[in-house]
Amino acid sequence: MGEINGTIISLDLLPMEHIEGVHYIQGDFREESVLAQLEELVQGRPVDLVVSDMAPNLSGNSTTDGARVEHLIELAVDFATHHLRPEGALVAKVFHGPGYDDLVKLFRNHFKLVKPLKPKSSRDKSSETFLIGIGLK
Ligand SMILES: C[S@@+](CC[C@H](N)C(=O)[O-])C[C@H]1O[C@@H](n2cnc3c(N)ncnc32)[C@H](O)[C@@H]1O
């Protein structure tokens, strides 16, 4: 592996295998104290890219699950709009379902360019897809 030129910060509820040069925060992104840890590492520097593939454990109740998914994505958008450099990008995992159109609107409210992307690695049957927002409005 080449040397990392920049800062990579990874955040998850679960422990993660150490990758050299990557800062790691184990915690719940919904908690203020965890966001504060992330912001401390960012140190006010403009961020190039925010990637969120956060997904809650599903309860089976589609209303509850949909609301949890949307909340995580809204938090990722909020973080991105406060910390991305003007031409930076947010890539977020979203799910096709009742809340999808609202999330596209949320992205369009904040980004100049919004594109959906279904990578080859994502199974056709899965409702997961990704939204990419580029350039802050
Ligand atoms: C689809 S997995 C992706 C995991 C990992 N990024 C990977 O590629 O293997 C979704 C991840 O979101 C994390 N997650 C769910 N809710 C979270 C939250 N509130 N704060 C931080 N991470 C969360 C889960 O712990 C889980 O590891």
Side-chain angles (χ1 to χ4, degrees):
M1 286 239 289
E3 221 172 89
I4 294 173
N5 179 17
T7 304
I8 300 176
I9 305 166
S10 174
L11 187 154
D12 200 295
L13 280 171
L14 302 175
M16 197 184 75
E17 204 174 308
H18 177 75
I19 300 172
E20 206 182 323
V22 175
H23 299 270
Y24 180 62
I25 299 167
Q26 184 178 356
D28 188 333
F29 190 55
R30 295 167 300 178
E31 289 178 9
E32 287 282 336
S33 60
V34 175
L35 176 63
Q37 285 178 57
L38 178 58
E39 289 180 327
E40 200 179 314
L41 282 173
V42 169
Q43 292 177 336
R45 292 168 296 179
V47 171
D48 295 313
L49 176 67
V50 175
V51 178
S52 169
D53 71 346
M54 287 186 291
N57 288 331
L58 299 182
S59 67
N61 178 320
S62 57
T63 310
T64 313
D65 291 340
R68 284 182 185 158
V69 168
E70 277 173 47
H71 182 48
L72 289 174
I73 296 161
E74 284 162 7
L75 291 176
V77 170
D78 191 55
F79 177 81
T81 53
H82 284 93
H83 294 282
L84 277 179
R85 65 181 170 86
E87 298 310 319
L90 167 65
V91 180
K93 174 152 60 189
V94 300
F95 294 88
H96 279 293
Y100 179 77
D101 289 345
D102 286 342
L103 290 173
V104 173
K105 271 188 211 147
L106 177 70
F107 268 63
R108 289 203 175 125
N109 286 341
H110 291 288
F111 293 97
K112 291 180 196 155
L113 181 66
V114 177
K115 286 186 172 198
L117 175 80
K118 175 88 173 165
K120 282 185 188 154
S121 56
S122 178
R123 286 173 296 125
D124 287 345
K125 278 186 188 162
S126 165
S127 65
E128 78 169 8
T129 188
F130 289 80
L131 280 177
I132 306 175
I134 303 172
L136 291 172
K137 274 189 170 170

